[in-house]
């Protein structure tokens, strides 16, 4: 019997493939479809994902189907009540969230702002949902003149603090976020507190790569916790470490871009360990989905596909690759927020059947259930493993 040693789980942050049946309950039209939108761009060229079976997935109507896909594949429906990064990743790792995390479409309550100002020793400006790039354009000058912190939110369960690095050193901004994490508790336990440092002069401010997320801890054990306790390595590439508040992580690798993230993932193939390498490629969401940049999203997918072409031949016997997403962010959708969408799942490796169509599955947590079977780690989750259907 073949022994599987490592799983590479790559999340294409926001790469949805069509509206879920309840999309309207989350403020989305039933036409949202991130994949369909990026396919309108002439910048898109993804032959490796096509070969794995992306266009064969249930419900994917555009694109040429692969006659003999190299991977097995499925469409995953989110069972949790959300469409954000935190809940999406928690579900991939095994936790289904029946209660949505709090959001603030009208900004944070007065008493919360007063507590934050007291903790920071600075005034707060903005306090409303905002685009991250637009908010520093509109409030950056006032921030630099007064030292007041730019606090804002979005449709997600998030409190973001933006500050110019010349006004607030990055390490100080991180301390403010830690204080905010303590204050945002109980009914105000947002999924993430995010530090958003920026640089430049008005009106040409730009955000830096020194963003840092301070997430809620998952409300229960994830498959990461169980893998680590059992002595496996759990390697985080990108913001996975932040999303899980460091829980269940053995080694964290920071990245500066999607391309850098894939370079780091490719480098991991040369290391020798048992366990999970969990990768998040956030540029799709942060740089292109939220900014409704169809061509940028398409070009980023093309570059990922090129690097996937480098990754696949370097996989070793005992390696498994799973590609998926955590939500949608349709670059042709209304507004600038995430979209409630199905996500793709493709599983590939020596010893895994090719071309098995797993249809539509009803939880992202099926991935965690499958990881537990591959690595022989018992784990109780509402997800249903598809390992028996795809192992040779």
């Amino acid at each position: 019997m073949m022994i599987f040693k490592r799983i590479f789980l790559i999340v294409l942050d926001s790469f949805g493939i069509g509206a879920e049946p309840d999309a309207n309950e989350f403020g989305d039209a039933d036409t949202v479809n991130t994949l369909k939108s990026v396919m309108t761009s002439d910048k898109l060229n993804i032959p490796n994902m096509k070969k794995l079976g992306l266009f064969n997935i249930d419900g994917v109507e555009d694109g040429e189907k692969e006659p003999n896909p190299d991977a097995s594949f499925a469409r995953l429906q989110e069972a949790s009540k959300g469409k954000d990064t935190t809940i999406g990743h928690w579900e991939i790792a095994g936790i289904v969230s029946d209660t949505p995390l709090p959001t603030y479409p009208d900004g944070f309550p007065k008493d919360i702002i007063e507590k934050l100002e007291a903790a920071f020793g600075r005034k707060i400006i903005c306090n409303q949902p905002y685009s991250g790039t637009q908010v520093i354009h509109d409030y950056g000058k006032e921030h630099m003149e007064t030292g007041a912190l730019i606090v804002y939110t979005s449709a997600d369960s998030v409190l973001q603090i933006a500050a110019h690095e010349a006004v607030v050193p990055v390490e100080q901004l991180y301390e403010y976020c830690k204080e905010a994490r303590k204050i945002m508790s109980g009914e105000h336990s947002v999924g993430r507190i995010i530090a958003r440092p920026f640089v430049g002069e008005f009106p040409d401010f730009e955000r830096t790569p020194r963003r840092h997320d301070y997430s809620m801890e998952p409300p229960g054990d994830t498959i990461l916790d169980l893998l680590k306790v059992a002595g496996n390595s759990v390697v985080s590439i990108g913001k996975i470490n932040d999303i899980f508040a460091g829980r269940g992580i053995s080694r964290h690798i920071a990245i500066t871009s999607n391309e850098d993230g894939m370079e780091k993932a490719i480098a991991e193939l040369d290391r020798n360990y048992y366990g999970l390498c969990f990768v998040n490629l956030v540029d799709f969401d942060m740089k292109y989905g939220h900014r409704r940049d169809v061509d940028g999203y398409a070009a980023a997918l093309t570059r990922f596909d090129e690097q996937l072409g480098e990754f696949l031949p370097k996989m070793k016997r005992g390696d498994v690759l799973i590609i998926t997403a955590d939500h949608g962010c349709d670059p042709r959708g209304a507004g600038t927020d995430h979209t409630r969408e199905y996500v793709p799942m493709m599983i590939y490796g020596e010893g895994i059947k090719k071309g098995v169509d797993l249809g539509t599955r009803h939880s992202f947590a099926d991935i965690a259930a499958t990881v537990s079977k591959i690595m022989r780690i018992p784990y109780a989750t509402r997800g249903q493993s598809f390992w028996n259907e795809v192992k040779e």
Side-chain angles (χ1 to χ4, degrees):
M1 184 177 69
M2 184 169 176
I3 300 298
F4 292 89
K5 293 180 57 177
R6 295 185 301 185
I7 300 169
F8 288 83
L9 174 52
I10 300 178
V11 177
L12 310 183
D13 200 305
S14 84
F15 188 50
I17 57 171
E20 293 194 356
D22 59 0
N24 65 323
E25 297 176 23
F26 292 83
D28 296 318
D30 60 7
T31 56
V32 292
N33 189 322
T34 301
L35 172 58
K36 186 172 184 176
S37 290
V38 297
M39 287 185 68
T40 65
S41 172
D42 61 7
K43 306 293 185 185
L44 186 70
N45 183 29
I46 49 174
N48 290 303
M49 281 198 281
K50 175 182 179 295
K51 184 61 179 171
L52 290 179
L54 174 64
F55 297 116
N56 297 67
I57 292 175
D58 198 10
V60 176
E61 299 175 352
D62 299 280
E64 181 184 353
K65 296 190 183 301
E66 178 61 40
N68 299 295
D70 283 345
S72 290
F73 47 86
R75 178 172 71 165
L76 304 184
Q77 182 177 357
E78 187 165 12
S80 298
K81 300 300 182 184
K83 57 175 183 176
D84 60 83
T85 294
T86 300
I87 279 183
H89 279 79
W90 285 357
E91 187 166 331
I92 290 168
I95 294 177
V96 176
S97 303
D98 294 315
T99 303
L101 297 174
T103 57
Y104 299 87
D106 301 313
F108 299 101
K110 181 181 178 182
D111 63 315
I112 289 292
I113 294 299
E114 290 173 348
K115 289 178 182 177
L116 292 171
E117 288 180 333
F120 301 156
R122 292 176 182 261
K123 299 297 291 182
I124 283 171
I125 53 177
C126 186
N127 187 29
Q128 55 185 305
Y130 234 97
S131 156
T133 51
Q134 190 64 40
V135 78
I136 59 176
H137 179 274
D138 292 353
Y139 288 91
K141 186 177 180 181
E142 181 181 354
H143 158 71
M144 295 196 72
E145 291 171 347
T146 67
L149 294 172
I150 305 169
V151 170
Y152 64 107
T153 187
S154 72
D156 294 337
S157 181
V158 62
L159 183 150
Q160 305 186 76
I161 306 175
H164 195 287
E165 293 187 4
V167 176
V168 179
V170 172
E171 292 301 325
Q172 181 62 62
L173 179 59
Y174 294 165
E175 290 302 316
Y176 289 151
C177 288
K178 291 176 185 177
E179 289 298 317
R181 181 72 277 174
K182 296 174 187 175
I183 291 167
M184 302 303 290
S185 59
E187 64 176 310
H188 297 297
S189 293
V190 292
R192 289 175 294 159
I193 309 291
I194 305 180
R196 291 288 197 177
F198 64 97
V199 295
E201 300 292 334
F202 179 80
D204 299 317
F205 296 125
E206 60 182 39
R207 298 194 292 190
T208 77
R210 286 174 284 277
R211 159 187 172 157
H212 192 72
D213 293 33
Y214 296 83
S215 295
M216 283 180 61
E217 285 203 16
D221 285 339
T222 71
I223 189 61
L224 312 188
D225 296 307
L226 274 293
L227 285 167
K228 185 179 179 184
V229 166
N232 295 277
S233 294
V234 180
V235 180
S236 155
I237 296 182
K239 68 177 185 175
I240 296 298
N241 188 65
D242 290 341
I243 292 167
F244 290 92
R247 276 244 316 257
I249 307 297
S250 307
R251 180 163 52 91
H252 167 55
I253 302 171
I255 64 175
T256 58
S257 65
N258 280 0
E259 186 169 7
D260 184 41
M262 280 302 293
E263 287 176 359
K264 300 287 174 56
I266 291 167
E268 284 298 300
L269 288 165
D270 292 328
R271 298 177 69 99
N272 184 28
Y273 56 87
Y274 282 80
L276 173 69
C277 181
F278 200 171
V279 184
N280 174 277
L281 303 179
V282 73
D283 288 357
F284 298 117
D285 183 56
M286 181 177 69
K287 291 186 177 180
Y288 309 115
H290 284 299
R291 298 181 189 180
R292 298 308 192 237
D293 180 355
V294 175
D295 284 345
Y297 205 125
L301 279 169
T302 296
R303 180 58 186 140
F304 166 74
D305 195 84
E306 291 170 353
Q307 291 184 285
L308 183 61
E310 299 173 43
F311 185 98
L312 296 173
K314 294 191 71 172
M315 290 178 64
K316 296 178 174 60
R317 181 177 174 83
D319 286 343
V320 176
L321 170 65
I322 299 175
I323 299 173
T324 191
D326 54 342
H327 52 72
C329 197
D330 186 344
R332 293 200 302 173
T336 60
D337 300 324
H338 293 158
T339 42
R340 175 81 168 177
E341 297 184 51
Y342 293 104
V343 301
M345 191 291 301
M346 293 172 283
I347 181 168
Y348 169 85
E350 186 179 348
I352 295 171
K353 293 176 183 177
K354 299 180 179 183
V356 176
D357 184 352
L358 297 162
T360 297
R361 303 183 68 92
H362 298 292
S363 177
F364 298 177
D366 287 11
I367 291 176
T370 302
V371 169
S372 76
K373 294 295 185 183
I374 296 172
M375 301 305 294
R376 304 174 299 282
I377 304 292
Y379 177 52
T381 173
R382 281 161 55 178
Q384 301 295 314
S385 171
F386 48 80
W387 186 232
N388 286 338
E389 289 97 309
V390 301
K391 68 179 180 179
E392 289 186 338

